[in-house]
Amino acid sequence: MEIRSWLSPRHRQRNRLHAYIEGALEGAERTQFEAAMARDPALAREVGELRAIRLAARELPEIEAPRSFRLTAAMVAAPARQAPAPRRAPVALRLAQGAAALSVFALAVTFVAGAVDNERAADTAASGESASLAVEDATTKQAPAAAAASGGATNSTAATAEGRPPVATSVPSPFAPTLPPYSPTSSVSGQGVTATAETPATAVASPTPRAPATGPGEAVTAMPTPVPPLTGGGDAATVPGTPSTSAYGTRDGGVTGGATITQSAPAGADKDGPGTMRLAQAGLAAVAVLAIGATIVLSLRRRREP
Amino acid sequence: MSEAPNTGDEELVVLARGGDLDAFNRLVDRYQGSVYSLCVRLLGNREAAEDAAQEAFLSAYRALDRFHGGSFRSWVLRIAANEAKDELRRRRRKDGATSLEAIFDRQESPVEIPDPSEGAEVIVERHDFGRALEIALGDLPFEQRQAVLLVDVYEFAYEEVARLTNASVGTVKSRIHRGRERLRQAMIARPELFEGLVRPEE
């Protein structure tokens, strides 16, 4: 009997054991199995027990029929009895299967969407580099901090994840379609070092005083009208009393300081932030696990029935 | 009866195909023990087994044109195994049993087996390995019981059981392995039954 090589060693051993007691194990495999039995008394005993059971099963006596099952002409003439129709899967099982399929599909969609989103953001960052749309040298030296601080403009997660300095770009953003014109007084500060942004395409000064905000680890100073700092590393960082900070200054965990860097980001993805996406994925994963578990349990229960 | 007592199965089948009901009933006489034994071991209920056995012979008579030689016993046993399964389904629906295992009638043993409540002493006294094995077989899930019975008792090939049960050979093999293992576990709980039966393998 051929024992399939892709089975686990344990399964192969079980298959060999049963093939052996059936007398179906031949050649080298039989020799190896007998050698294994010689080394392992427990295995030898198990083989002996299974063989005794199999022999006893073959010798089970026939049970005498309590009556004759001879056919009569009337029986033969009668219409044949219909076999019961195959059972349909119970409603609960079908529901569980549907929920499992849907949740797994939805989960896959969220992962694909997230991957596409990240890739697009990385591409955007890269194109920003090649287009030399960066803040001036003094700023780019502090690029990681600056880019992180201007999170609304740059997908800092994607940029830093790829190991290159996050560079602010000026790709038109649907979130900032009406940004005011360049103001030479705007500045971007990162990690305590202040640099003046003089490139219109990359650093656009807001005409209104802004609240500098402190993201996680970064400090952004709005010039020239400093106001009390705001601590807000999350997606919903807002600046009380400074409405001009607006949505595009607080997206993606970043905070817009004196300079607002515009950059496009997928509208739906960043609006609620990656946290929401992760929450949705966690929820879907939980539903999928529950539905798959229910499907397995119900299927096993059903398999016990013919 | 026109045919001789030692008429072969195939000859009786030819006669039965021609409408000779007596010829077919000779086949019934020969194999009703085997058919009923399989049904009662599968169903665990005498009444259900009688119904299934009767239906098996009726189905066999009506399907004689599809018998293409070979062992008539194996052929009619395959039909009986299917009828037993159908009988389980019918009774499940009729009785509204929540589980087919519930139909396995413990009050009415398929064979004269000792009541498990009699305890190990009684079984030891009888020293009847076969009867203890009948009890253990009755405790197997239906699919495992069917596979073990057909392969180990009625000597069907794995492929035959796979066709009969609409399962893959791998599935049948798995059911048999698990069934045998469960039987072993049940039997080694009474080691005295193995005395004299098990000799250590070399």
Side-chain angles (χ1 to χ4, degrees):
Chain A
M1 179 180 282
E2 181 198 355
I3 306 298
R4 295 178 190 278
S5 58
W6 48 263
L7 292 173
S8 70
R10 183 173 165 273
H11 278 91
R12 279 205 296 275
Q13 181 77 338
R14 303 305 303 171
N15 277 0
R16 284 196 193 98
L17 191 159
H18 287 277
Y20 183 78
I21 66 164
E22 290 166 10
L25 202 61
E26 295 166 344
E29 282 199 309
R30 182 181 179 88
T31 309
Q32 284 172 7
F33 187 78
E34 287 174 343
M37 279 199 299
R39 290 192 303 270
D40 185 352
L43 176 63
R45 175 140 197 99
E46 188 179 350
V47 168
E49 289 164 352
L50 283 169
R51 182 173 269 176
I53 289 168
R54 185 170 149 84
L55 288 174
R58 294 208 160 188
E59 290 167 4
L60 284 177
E62 199 168 86
I63 302 165
E64 192 179 344
R67 65 175 175 86
S68 169
F69 295 113
R70 285 174 152 251
L71 302 184
T72 64
M75 286 182 195
V76 173
R81 192 161 64 154
Q82 290 291 314
R87 288 175 308 143
R88 296 183 66 195
V91 174
L93 177 57
R94 279 180 282 157
L95 279 176
Q97 286 170 333
L102 273 177
S103 52
V104 168
F105 177 74
L107 196 57
V109 167
T110 63
F111 277 115
V112 170
V116 169
D117 185 25
N118 284 344
E119 198 171 319
R120 193 185 302 165
D123 288 347
T124 305
S127 67
E129 284 179 46
S130 62
S132 301
L133 299 175
V135 293
E136 69 169 77
D137 287 350
T139 304
T140 51
K141 284 174 186 171
Q142 302 298 324
S150 59
T154 304
N155 188 329
S156 59
T157 304
T160 53
E162 295 197 6
R164 52 174 178 261
V167 177
T169 63
S170 63
V171 178
S173 167
F175 293 99
T178 57
L179 282 175
Y182 159 71
S183 163
T185 60
S186 65
S187 66
V188 175
S189 168
Q191 294 180 340
V193 178
T194 301
T196 303
E198 296 183 351
T199 308
T202 56
V204 182
S206 169
T208 55
R210 294 165 193 270
T214 302
E218 298 97 24
V220 177
T221 304
M223 296 291 285
T225 52
V227 291
L230 165 74
T231 299
D235 301 335
T238 57
V239 184
T242 55
S244 63
T245 302
S246 76
Y248 45 82
T250 59
R251 290 173 27 251
D252 213 21
V255 178
T256 301
T260 300
I261 313 296
T262 61
Q263 186 260 346
S264 72
D270 274 358
K271 197 169 186 176
D272 297 327
T276 306
M277 180 71 92
R278 279 196 291 274
L279 200 63
Q281 285 172 343
L284 284 169
V287 171
V289 167
L290 283 174
I292 290 169
T295 301
I296 291 170
V297 168
L298 290 169
S299 298
L300 286 176
R301 197 178 292 173
R302 187 164 181 258
R303 280 185 62 183
R304 289 174 61 87
E305 304 168 355
Chain B
M1 241 176 264
S2 55
E3 63 276 1
N6 58 351
T7 307
D9 287 357
E10 291 197 12
E11 196 177 338
L12 289 173
V13 168
V14 171
L15 290 169
R17 276 181 185 149
D20 186 344
L21 193 57
D22 281 342
F24 185 80
N25 281 333
R26 290 288 309 283
L27 291 167
V28 173
D29 291 342
R30 282 181 192 177
Y31 299 114
Q32 65 180 3
S34 297
V35 167
Y36 176 74
S37 298
L38 174 61
C39 291
V40 79
R41 284 182 174 127
L42 280 174
L43 296 168
N45 176 288
R46 290 179 187 276
E47 187 191 342
E50 284 183 38
D51 287 351
Q54 188 67 75
E55 280 302 315
F57 284 117
L58 198 52
S59 297
Y61 182 77
R62 288 175 173 144
L64 278 175
D65 287 341
R66 295 202 290 275
F67 176 67
H68 301 299
S71 166
F72 180 82
R73 177 179 180 267
S74 293
W75 184 68
V76 79
L77 282 173
R78 282 200 296 273
I79 294 174
N82 271 328
E83 287 296 339
K85 197 168 178 177
D86 288 347
E87 189 61 33
L88 270 179
R89 286 183 185 156
R90 282 191 199 97
R91 286 179 178 255
R92 177 174 179 259
R93 290 177 182 179
K94 183 178 153 194
D95 302 341
T98 53
S99 163
L100 287 174
E101 297 306 317
I103 293 174
F104 199 89
D105 190 350
R106 284 319 194 146
Q107 304 149 29
E108 203 173 357
S109 302
V111 288
E112 296 301 323
I113 51 178
D115 183 347
S117 65
E118 289 176 345
E121 293 79 9
V122 177
I123 296 175
V124 171
E125 280 174 17
R126 298 184 183 182
H127 199 75
D128 193 331
F129 194 90
R131 289 185 176 185
L133 186 58
E134 292 271 17
I135 297 173
L137 268 169
D139 284 336
L140 292 182
F142 182 86
E143 304 287 6
Q144 291 178 22
R145 184 164 69 240
Q146 184 185 46
V148 170
L149 277 171
L150 290 174
V151 170
D152 284 350
V153 180
Y154 294 95
E155 302 182 32
F156 278 54
Y158 285 157
E159 290 76 11
E160 282 182 286
V161 180
R163 278 196 299 275
L164 180 70
T165 55
N166 290 323
S168 69
V169 171
T171 300
V172 170
K173 206 180 277 188
S174 170
R175 286 173 184 163
I176 289 168
H177 294 182
R178 281 184 282 136
R180 283 180 188 157
E181 183 53 31
R182 285 179 75 145
L183 289 178
R184 190 179 78 88
Q185 292 297 332
M187 299 301 282
I188 61 176
R190 290 169 163 72
E192 66 279 3
L193 292 174
F194 277 100
E195 284 175 18
L197 286 172
V198 179
R199 58 184 172 79
E201 300 287 327
E202 294 300 327

